[in-house]
Amino acid sequence: MLDKAPGKKLSDLLDRFGAALAAGDIDKAVGCFQEDCYWRDLVTFTWNIKTMEGRDQVHDMLTSQLAKSKPSNWALAKGEEATESDGLLEGWISFETEVARGFGHIRLKNGKIWTLLTTMVELKGHEEPAGFARPLGAKHGHGKNRPTWKEEREKEAAELGFVSQPYTLIIGGGQGGIALGARLRQLGVPTIIVEKNERAGDSWRRRYKSLCLHDPVWYDHLPYIDFPRNWPVFSPKDKIGDWLEMYTKVMELNYWSSTEAKSAAYDDEKKEWTVVVHRGGKDITLKPKQLVLATGMSGRPNIPKFKGMENFKGDQHHSAKHPGPDSYVGKKVVVIGSNNSAHDICAALWEAGVDVTMVQRSTTHIVKSDTLMDVGLGALYSEQAVQNGMTTAKADLIFASLPYKILHEFQIPLYEKMKKRDAAFYEGLERAGFMLDWGDDGSGLFMKYLRRGSGYYIDIGASQLIIDGAVKLKSGVDVTEIKEHSVLLSDSTELPADVVVYATGYGSMNGWAAELISKEVADKVGKCWGLGSNTTKDPGPWEGEQRNMWKPTQQEALWFHGGNLHQSRHYSQFLSLQLKARLEGIATPVYGLQEVHHTG
């Protein structure tokens, strides 16, 4: 007797699972899972971003949420086929809850669910006006004094924030705020984006002039509008700045540039924020119901406090303020730090003929850009992936479907392969004295990014300058003192310096909340970013998702949105649906609200 086809096996499992859920038989539904199972839910069941690990956690979630969510219509997604290989059966699925339509991914081992991803696609009755439902635009028929599209937009822009209040206020008009603003616009959520810079994209334009994205173009699309097919693989900073500025206009965002948020306070009785912003030479008070801090994945620049800094006679600044190399020709520059920004800045200074020394105080993970693209990203985000039929949306969901608890197990073999492939490169770095690491468990760049958001460099050429000695290196030392014209290191080396650049990273995003709202609210919310992996700079206990990102926090109506372009695109979908549901008065019973273990 032949085995059933993969699609039939998956459909049969979904029928059993769906029937158990419909009957309220939680024990039977949980019996469809393996003992070591993972259910990652993006909003549909938990109104949260939450991973249930093991049958007990699945049981607990369903006990809390099943009657509230009323799931139905579990099926192999239309037009999709299940596949089976090496004992693993997987496929794309569709389903519904009482208020939403969902899409997901499932993996079966031995006929039972190993990993399940469920994501909210749209709220019933509140679908985006796209496809057959797209707006007409033109006004056919007759009517006197009808406003044009331009006049309607000008009226909206003039009245929102004055005559009427935004439901959502987004503070931060970089890639995160823009992506979320676009989603909310399509969902009809009145929103203002506040940006202190003069133009959208200035947060990129104002960085050092050699900066390019280290992530490839296929990884970086914004919602709704993909980059053109001839867009460069790695976007120069000014080009991405122009793209963001264009995007805010064509997506019709209410974007308040040259506007600085000064204070915010939440009224528990009125369920609204009072936010004071400074714009056009005067203070304006806004009264949004929801406040989103989209001020970047990182908080304020970390500027170390070294003895004698106040005595330095030259120019010293954080890498966030680095203007580029032009004014430093003929000078001696010391760059303290050894991650992405430090490498980029050192390389640009060397290219301009500047005498530059990198001070490496702790180990850094380095991976060559072309190797990362080939081995690490190629299956999901590459031209070959596109040619093989991979879409950005599916790539995002495949990546999202791997639970963080076991993601490192999938990453370790990839980085072992990279280590072997580029063995001569790494030997050269070590000979130069550079201190390398591969993450605490050998899982490499992506896990370092998710756990701590730092500690790595994607090599686009600077490493060879270190190997060749063109960029000088002092490693395994710390800074003892900043003198008037030099940097004194812990091994008693004294580096002459006209310029000191602190490429020393950033603090937690909740630092913005402390500054804008209060330290009490920042502590109530707790640390942003990290998984609780108990690895370097990501203290435990295990939390299983990015702390406080894109989901409800301990402060009602306060949200954090950030990350790279990929995360801004992907998670803006789920944050926008959470906000839309609240606007429409749809019940949003949150399961598993994150406990606070770390305040900064």
Side-chain angles (χ1 to χ4, degrees):
M1 182 176 170
L2 294 174
D3 284 343
K4 289 188 288 186
K8 181 70 166 79
K9 291 181 185 178
L10 180 52
S11 293
D12 288 350
L13 180 281
L14 292 172
D15 288 345
R16 292 198 305 275
F17 183 54
L21 293 175
D25 191 337
I26 292 174
D27 288 338
K28 191 171 183 180
V30 171
C32 294
F33 288 82
Q34 286 204 125
E35 289 289 347
D36 64 325
C37 61
Y38 303 89
W39 182 346
R40 188 174 191 222
D41 181 58
L42 305 185
V43 183
T44 45
F45 288 83
T46 60
W47 290 101
N48 199 352
I49 294 178
K50 181 76 175 172
T51 300
M52 283 59 69
E53 301 172 359
R55 283 181 169 183
D56 288 349
Q57 290 189 17
V58 170
H59 194 287
D60 187 73
M61 186 276 284
L62 287 174
T63 300
S64 170
Q65 304 297 101
L66 179 57
K68 303 167 189 173
S69 55
K70 297 182 176 65
S72 62
N73 293 337
W74 295 85
L76 185 64
K78 187 177 180 180
E80 300 290 347
E81 295 182 1
T83 60
E84 190 168 15
S85 178
D86 298 325
L88 196 66
L89 191 158
E90 57 186 303
W92 298 101
I93 61 171
S94 60
F95 62 96
E96 296 182 22
T97 66
E98 185 173 41
V99 300
R101 296 180 187 88
F103 189 78
H105 187 271
I106 193 168
R107 295 182 182 90
L108 307 185
K109 278 184 180 178
N110 302 316
K112 293 193 173 184
I113 300 169
W114 177 42
T115 71
L116 175 61
L117 172 72
T118 49
T119 77
M120 186 178 288
V121 174
E122 59 189 3
L123 292 162
K124 295 176 181 177
H126 304 286
E127 298 82 1
E128 292 186 4
F132 287 111
R134 72 168 74 222
L136 185 61
K139 294 184 177 180
H140 295 166
H142 305 283
K144 292 184 177 180
N145 303 314
R146 291 188 299 173
T148 64
W149 169 86
K150 182 174 183 289
E151 289 167 337
E152 287 178 341
R153 278 291 293 134
E154 288 172 345
K155 183 174 186 291
E156 178 188 17
E159 293 183 353
L160 188 62
F162 303 99
V163 177
S164 61
Q165 287 297 314
Y167 180 76
T168 299
L169 179 65
I170 301 172
I171 297 178
Q175 62 211 31
I178 287 171
L180 178 60
R183 300 269 194 195
L184 292 171
R185 178 78 187 183
Q186 296 308 303
L187 288 170
V189 179
T191 301
I192 292 174
I193 303 170
V194 166
E195 169 59 41
K196 65 181 179 181
N197 286 315
E198 185 181 348
R199 296 162 57 199
D202 275 354
S203 55
W204 285 96
R205 293 187 191 94
R206 293 188 173 189
R207 297 297 303 277
Y208 50 90
K209 70 176 189 178
S210 62
L211 177 64
C212 279
L213 284 179
H214 289 78
D215 300 322
V217 63
W218 307 278
Y219 188 74
D220 291 334
H221 296 301
L222 291 175
Y224 310 112
I225 306 176
D226 285 356
F227 291 110
R229 292 182 64 187
N230 59 355
W231 194 266
V233 173
F234 299 107
S235 302
K237 69 179 184 70
D238 296 284
K239 193 170 179 67
I240 199 74
D242 289 347
W243 183 261
L244 291 172
E245 186 173 27
M246 175 279 297
Y247 188 90
T248 64
K249 292 179 180 178
V250 299
M251 295 306 293
E252 302 178 22
L253 306 187
N254 295 303
Y255 192 92
W256 286 17
S257 59
S258 300
T259 304
E260 186 168 2
K262 296 177 67 177
S263 66
Y266 189 65
D267 188 319
D268 288 306
E269 291 186 7
K270 293 183 178 178
K271 303 295 183 186
E272 72 179 18
W273 290 91
T274 297
V275 183
V276 178
V277 302
H278 190 74
R279 185 181 193 224
K282 62 182 179 180
D283 287 348
I284 301 169
T285 299
L286 299 171
K287 297 280 189 175
K289 298 295 185 183
Q290 307 288 338
L291 180 62
V292 181
L293 299 188
T295 45
M297 186 197 85
S298 305
R300 285 283 184 200
N302 274 333
I303 300 177
K305 295 179 180 178
F306 295 129
K307 178 183 175 183
M309 288 174 70
E310 69 280 3
N311 300 320
F312 187 63
K313 299 297 186 184
D315 178 357
Q316 56 182 331
H317 55 261
H318 191 269
S319 58
K321 300 290 187 182
H322 185 65
D326 295 353
S327 60
Y328 301 132
V329 176
K331 297 187 176 183
K332 293 183 181 297
V333 180
V334 174
V335 177
I336 298 170
S338 56
N339 297 332
N340 264 338
S341 293
H343 279 82
D344 285 349
I345 289 168
C346 284
L349 287 165
W350 175 84
E351 288 180 7
V354 177
D355 182 321
V356 58
T357 302
M358 176 188 289
V359 176
Q360 183 187 26
R361 299 183 295 163
S362 58
T363 60
T364 302
H365 172 54
I366 293 185
V367 59
K368 290 174 72 71
S369 176
D370 54 351
T371 302
L372 177 65
M373 286 181 58
D374 183 20
V375 178
L377 292 171
L380 298 179
Y381 301 101
S382 68
E383 193 60 42
Q384 189 58 55
V386 172
Q387 298 302 320
N388 292 342
M390 180 62 68
T391 65
T392 302
K394 279 190 177 179
D396 289 349
L397 292 176
I398 290 171
F399 192 74
S401 74
L402 290 170
Y404 289 139
K405 185 78 170 181
I406 57 173
L407 182 57
H408 66 284
E409 297 174 14
F410 292 83
Q411 295 292 303
I412 290 169
L414 300 179
Y415 286 89
E416 288 290 341
K417 184 176 179 180
M418 295 182 205
K419 188 186 294 187
K420 290 179 182 176
R421 174 166 157 169
D422 295 325
F425 168 74
Y426 293 114
E427 288 169 7
L429 278 169
E430 288 178 332
R431 277 197 307 272
F434 196 89
M435 302 185 301
L436 293 165
D437 75 62
W438 292 82
D440 287 16
D441 53 6
S443 59
L445 187 144
F446 281 121
M447 295 311 301
K448 263 203 163 187
Y449 175 72
L450 293 168
R451 290 165 173 169
R452 55 183 279 194
S454 65
Y456 51 83
Y457 168 56
I458 302 174
D459 178 48
I460 55 172
S463 290
Q464 193 61 47
L465 296 176
I466 292 170
I467 292 169
D468 295 341
V471 169
K472 300 170 192 172
L473 175 70
K474 283 295 297 183
S475 62
V477 293
D478 211 330
V479 176
T480 302
E481 183 178 355
I482 306 292
K483 295 192 169 185
E484 289 188 358
H485 302 286
S486 63
V487 177
L488 181 63
L489 303 178
S490 55
D491 67 352
S492 299
T493 301
E494 192 165 346
L495 302 174
D498 302 301
V499 182
V500 178
V501 181
Y502 300 107
T504 45
Y506 299 83
S508 172
M509 276 183 74
N510 72 339
W512 296 114
E515 185 173 299
L516 181 70
I517 309 166
S518 69
K519 187 176 187 302
E520 289 73 25
V521 166
D523 288 346
K524 181 180 178 182
V525 168
K527 180 182 174 70
C528 295
W529 210 260
L531 305 171
S533 63
N534 207 27
T535 57
T536 303
K537 297 191 177 182
D538 182 29
W542 177 250
E543 299 183 42
E545 292 286 350
Q546 301 277 196
R547 294 184 188 96
N548 284 315
M549 300 303 299
W550 319 294
K551 60 186 177 182
T553 68
Q554 290 287 348
Q555 172 58 56
E556 184 178 10
L558 178 63
W559 310 78
F560 292 85
H561 178 59
N564 56 29
L565 278 156
H566 157 261
Q567 289 169 308
S568 294
R569 171 188 69 245
H570 178 61
Y571 287 103
S572 61
Q573 173 182 333
F574 308 109
L575 178 47
S576 67
L577 288 166
Q578 292 174 80
L579 294 168
K580 174 66 171 178
R582 285 163 172 79
L583 169 67
E584 298 298 339
I586 296 169
T588 58
V590 176
Y591 172 80
L593 184 65
Q594 180 187 313
E595 295 180 24
V596 174
H597 302 291
H598 308 283
T599 58

